[in-house]
Amino acid sequence: MTAYTLGTLLYEGKAKRVFQTDRPDLVAVEYKDDATAFNALKKAQLAGKGELNCQISARLFELLEREGIPTHYRGLQDRHWMLVKPVRIVPVEVVIRNIAFGSLCKQMPIGPGTPLEPPLLDLYYKDDAFGDPLLTEARLARLGLLTDEQRVELERLAHAVNGALLRFFADIGLQLVDFKIELGFTADGQLVVADEISPDTCRLWDLQVSDARDRILDKDRFRQDLGGVVEAYGEVLKRVQGVCPEPRIYG
Ligand code: TMP
Ligand code: ASP
């Protein structure tokens, strides 16, 4: 018996569908097998990816909660379904980089692999039609997306997430190169980490492997046509499961 009934589709993104439920405090998220990159110019179906990302995300949200970082997570339902609190997503992608890679090295004279200490935090405006452009503080204020106080809180939470994830991944032999998170406001106005945290949204390198391609265990395998995408995500889940075996089941 489930403690809720699935309602209408609220939103369909590139990798997830979000459904209303008959409970105002509960939203159901279905993780899809669709993979996209370069603002959906590149697309594929990767059987099993949805389940892997759902299972990895659940455990990472639980880890963050244990570290005192609030998230939208309420529990897993099924292999690729998660129950979360309804939030008003802030249309800002928060990226933290510990090692220079990806778009940073295309836009700045910083070589791939350069350690970034302190980690670099960038905000991007989440809007595919505009190609998710880099935000400045002035642009953020102009768009009226966050007050100064809310921006400070969002950046504080993002740095706390980085600290927790860096340590956690290092313990399971993975280098957290960079990641993207999204945050949202709950009905009572609390800012919480939302969306997902998975190899779709993090760059993860295997610390035991020196080859620059073979060590990649994230969506760059898809972006760069390296193959073995689902296998790489499976390896990440296997290591995460070694430390966090069973996430809570909702209901
Ligand atoms: P970038 O180097 O392409 O800017 O990506 C930085 C991090 O953000 C990387 O871990 C991948 C993640 N990311 C997303 O999750 N979604 C996106 O749409 C993009 C562009 C990056
Ligand atoms: N998530 C983005 C897309 O689907 C970009 C990326 O992750 O590379 O196009």
Side-chain angles (χ1 to χ4, degrees):
M1 194 187 80
T2 53
Y4 68 93
T5 307
L6 208 57
T8 54
L9 178 69
L10 289 173
Y11 167 83
E12 177 154 9
K14 294 193 281 278
K16 293 184 294 300
R17 289 190 192 93
V18 180
F19 293 85
Q20 211 164 23
T21 72
D22 60 342
R23 293 195 25 192
D25 59 342
L26 207 61
V27 163
V29 180
E30 180 191 14
Y31 283 68
K32 303 192 289 184
D33 283 344
D34 301 11
T36 68
F38 313 118
N39 205 3
L41 283 176
K42 180 172 181 168
K43 293 184 199 172
Q45 278 280 311
L46 299 175
K49 182 184 81 91
E51 178 175 347
L52 288 163
N53 280 351
C54 183
Q55 295 293 323
I56 294 166
S57 279
R59 289 166 173 85
L60 296 178
F61 282 133
E62 289 193 359
L63 164 86
L64 296 183
E65 293 274 346
R66 280 199 298 277
E67 300 268 334
I69 300 165
T71 79
H72 70 160
Y73 177 77
R74 304 209 48 183
L76 270 184
Q77 181 60 61
D78 190 5
R79 292 171 302 112
H80 63 120
W81 284 87
M82 185 183 283
L83 278 310
V84 303
K85 294 175 195 164
V87 293
R88 180 173 60 78
I89 291 281
V90 179
V92 169
E93 300 194 343
V94 187
V95 171
I96 294 203
R97 303 171 192 274
N98 297 301
I99 294 185
F101 209 69
S103 69
L104 180 70
C105 303
K106 298 197 176 91
Q107 295 165 355
M108 295 282 143
I110 305 176
T114 307
L116 301 168
E117 184 51 51
L120 188 66
L121 181 150
D122 284 322
L123 304 181
Y124 297 84
Y125 179 45
K126 181 179 161 65
D127 189 327
D128 286 344
F130 289 98
D132 297 343
L134 186 65
L135 278 168
T136 60
E137 251 179 66
R139 289 184 186 194
L140 188 68
R142 182 67 186 81
L143 291 175
L145 298 177
L146 293 169
T147 63
D148 272 356
E149 205 176 58
Q150 289 169 336
R151 180 184 54 78
V152 169
E153 173 63 0
L154 174 130
E155 295 185 358
R156 184 190 72 77
L157 284 172
H159 280 296
V161 169
N162 186 45
L165 292 183
L166 250 183
R167 284 191 301 277
F168 172 77
F169 282 126
D171 286 346
I172 55 172
L174 298 173
Q175 170 68 55
L176 177 63
V177 175
D178 58 26
F179 66 93
K180 181 267 301 184
I181 53 170
E182 295 178 28
L183 297 97
F185 289 102
T186 58
D188 57 4
Q190 188 186 20
L191 191 59
V192 301
V193 180
D195 191 49
E196 70 177 283
I197 307 177
S198 72
D200 266 10
T201 61
C202 300
R203 285 199 171 93
L204 295 166
W205 292 348
D206 190 335
L207 283 164
Q208 280 104 52
V209 177
S210 53
D211 182 84
R213 290 172 168 226
D214 293 347
R215 69 184 174 189
I216 295 173
L217 295 177
D218 58 66
K219 195 162 132 185
D220 275 347
R221 299 205 72 81
F222 175 67
R223 295 189 187 97
Q224 298 176 29
D225 290 321
L226 299 177
V229 183
V230 172
E231 292 76 5
Y233 286 32
E235 175 62 23
V236 173
L237 177 61
K238 198 174 92 187
R239 294 196 199 184
V240 171
Q241 269 174 329
V243 203
C244 317
E246 292 299 332
R248 64 176 175 258
I249 303 295
Y250 182 83

